[in-house]
Amino acid sequence: MARVQLLVDLRRLHHQFHVMEGQAKKEGGGVAKKKFKIPPQVLDFLHDGVVAQSDMEFELKLGQLIDTKSWVKYDLSIPAGRNKIIETNPIGTRFSSQVPNTAFKNLNATLNEWVRDPSNSKYGQLTYTRTLEMDMAYRDENQEKIRVTYSLRGNDQPRAIQKQKLRPKIIYFSGEAELDIRMSAAHEYKVELPEDISAWRADSARVKNRMSYRFDLFQVDITEVCGYKDMTPDQVESLVAHKDFRKGLREGAPVSAFSYSKQEWQKGVVKQIRGKDIRIELEETGQTKTLRRDSPFLEHKEHTILPEVTYEVEVELLPDVLRPAEKRKEVIQQWMEIMFRLRKIAQRPSRHHHHQYYKQKHRHQGERRSAPPHHMQHHVQQPGEKRKHPSVGGKGKDEANDQQPPEKKHHNGSS
């Protein structure tokens, strides 16, 4: 009986979501030309997830469905102003959960403004936290995929999980948007770490510089990722062995600093530590650069693996917020509304910039097996535009300042 009532409540939302797209467009100005209605497939998907597991995770993610042959956005022939939903990826496509660094900058600035004045967000109380973690993708003795997460601030024990995804995934497409929205649900199982993890095998890692904005019903995560693929066992061992090096940094300590423009790790020495900023003198040139202690572009002195730098945006529902029937309607509406709003904010730069970014980026992803990954992140320079550098990560010439919320009494996170 409870399942039937749940499905009835969800389907009742079908006719109430027609204003959602219009509300999302208010952030970018203008009036919605077309009304958006949530389709029955999405309501069924949410229903299946709610009844499947008590601790199911629901997530919306920005990205793009791409054609793996041409490495451009897959054409679904959607008229302008219309939306289309598919439940499985067409053959020869995949969803790339990456956004341009310009989108990352726009969202970082807007979300920080919401921290300063939560009334601008319309979604209740807001708190901010920042984390720096490393995910290692292992396979155990049975070749099962297991993700082990290490804190790179040296203050947490590693945790291991397995993820079971709920099929199918739902992807939103818009004829006017460069970015698509993917809805997914998954259940994460905790896994006990073995005393000797060397019995497991890993060849890839993701260092995640994540800024989290937690509202009453959901959490928005914007993440800068340094991805390492096809690593040797020695490289994997080195990454894990030096995961806590930031905790013991002192003046005079040797380190490596990543140059985004030169795409290389530069050896240097810590000259000054002031709060969370570290000034480094480079050995080769004698020049100095400043990075945050928790920047993923700061590593131990022996680090040489080139990262693939990408940016991700997701909105995850907080645990069990869909369960109370009296709150379900409000929860789903706000969850969907904020993602449309964030997509609008992320796409504020010209569509030409985004189109060129994705065309170049996805083509290089197709060539990644034979070409270095750093080709993927070059800025698309407009006519008459001075060269710009990445928007996040530090304060050196190669890494522009990432915007941080000011200290506030209700601010319970770390910057």
Side-chain angles (χ1 to χ4, degrees), residues 193-379:
L193 282 169
E195 293 185 6
D196 183 9
I197 203 170
S198 62
W200 294 1
R201 294 289 179 263
D203 62 3
S204 64
R206 285 161 46 93
V207 176
K208 304 181 300 184
N209 175 27
R210 172 165 289 174
M211 281 148 270
S212 298
Y213 303 82
R214 188 181 180 96
F215 297 84
D216 293 338
L217 301 174
F218 44 75
Q219 178 169 300
V220 177
D221 292 328
I222 60 173
T223 310
E224 177 188 44
V225 180
C226 286
Y228 300 99
K229 297 185 177 181
D230 302 320
M231 294 190 298
T232 66
D234 288 343
Q235 290 173 329
V236 171
E237 183 179 350
S238 178
L239 274 178
V240 176
H242 294 93
K243 62 183 177 60
D244 296 331
F245 88 97
R246 291 173 178 80
K247 190 174 182 180
L249 274 182
R250 300 289 186 272
E251 292 184 5
V255 294
S256 294
F258 184 65
S259 169
Y260 194 96
S261 58
K262 295 183 179 179
Q263 286 294 306
E264 66 180 15
W265 288 96
Q266 300 174 321
K267 295 187 182 301
V269 175
V270 176
K271 298 298 291 183
Q272 184 183 49
I273 299 177
R274 182 174 295 177
K276 296 178 181 179
D277 291 336
I278 296 180
R279 188 162 64 89
I280 303 166
E281 182 179 283
L282 302 178
E283 290 182 359
E284 186 175 339
T285 63
Q287 296 178 334
T288 60
K289 68 187 305 179
T290 302
L291 295 173
R292 291 178 60 91
R293 181 185 289 267
D294 56 3
S295 170
F297 296 148
L298 176 67
E299 280 288 353
H300 63 92
K301 64 179 181 178
E302 303 299 332
H303 190 85
T304 59
I305 319 170
L306 291 180
E308 175 190 330
V309 183
T310 57
Y311 304 90
E312 299 178 355
V313 178
E314 62 187 54
V315 183
E316 182 178 332
L317 285 176
L318 297 185
D320 294 326
V321 294
L322 285 179
R323 291 213 160 264
E326 67 277 9
K327 294 287 188 179
R328 196 171 299 129
K329 187 179 302 184
E330 176 188 357
V331 170
I332 300 174
Q333 182 172 358
Q334 289 194 27
W335 183 45
M336 299 295 298
E337 179 185 318
I338 193 174
M339 182 50 100
F340 279 107
R341 191 176 178 187
L342 293 178
R343 181 173 70 173
K344 186 73 175 180
I345 296 168
Q347 295 181 154
R348 277 180 178 167
S350 68
R351 290 187 62 192
H352 171 75
H353 173 93
H354 281 285
H355 174 74
Q356 293 298 325
Y357 168 89
Y358 277 110
K359 186 174 182 179
Q360 173 178 312
K361 183 178 183 65
H362 295 321
R363 178 170 291 119
H364 284 305
Q365 283 181 322
E367 300 167 353
R368 186 165 52 194
R369 295 175 182 175
S370 58
H374 60 262
H375 290 295
M376 299 170 59
Q377 284 292 324
H378 289 317
H379 173 74

Side-chain angles (χ1 to χ4, degrees), residues 54-71:
S54 60
D55 54 352
M56 184 68 69
E57 295 183 349
F58 297 92
E59 177 183 278
L60 294 172
K61 205 156 193 173
L62 284 180
Q64 200 174 60
L65 186 77
I66 59 171
D67 187 318
T68 54
K69 291 183 179 179
S70 60
W71 297 102

Side-chain angles (χ1 to χ4, degrees), residues 121-134:
S121 75
K122 306 187 302 182
Y123 305 113
Q125 186 63 33
L126 170 60
T127 55
Y128 166 84
T129 56
R130 179 171 177 165
T131 57
L132 183 68
E133 296 180 326
M134 177 175 67

Side-chain angles (χ1 to χ4, degrees), residues 17-30:
F17 274 83
H18 63 280
V19 296
M20 190 176 305
E21 184 79 347
Q23 290 172 333
K25 291 191 176 184
K26 288 181 181 179
E27 180 66 25

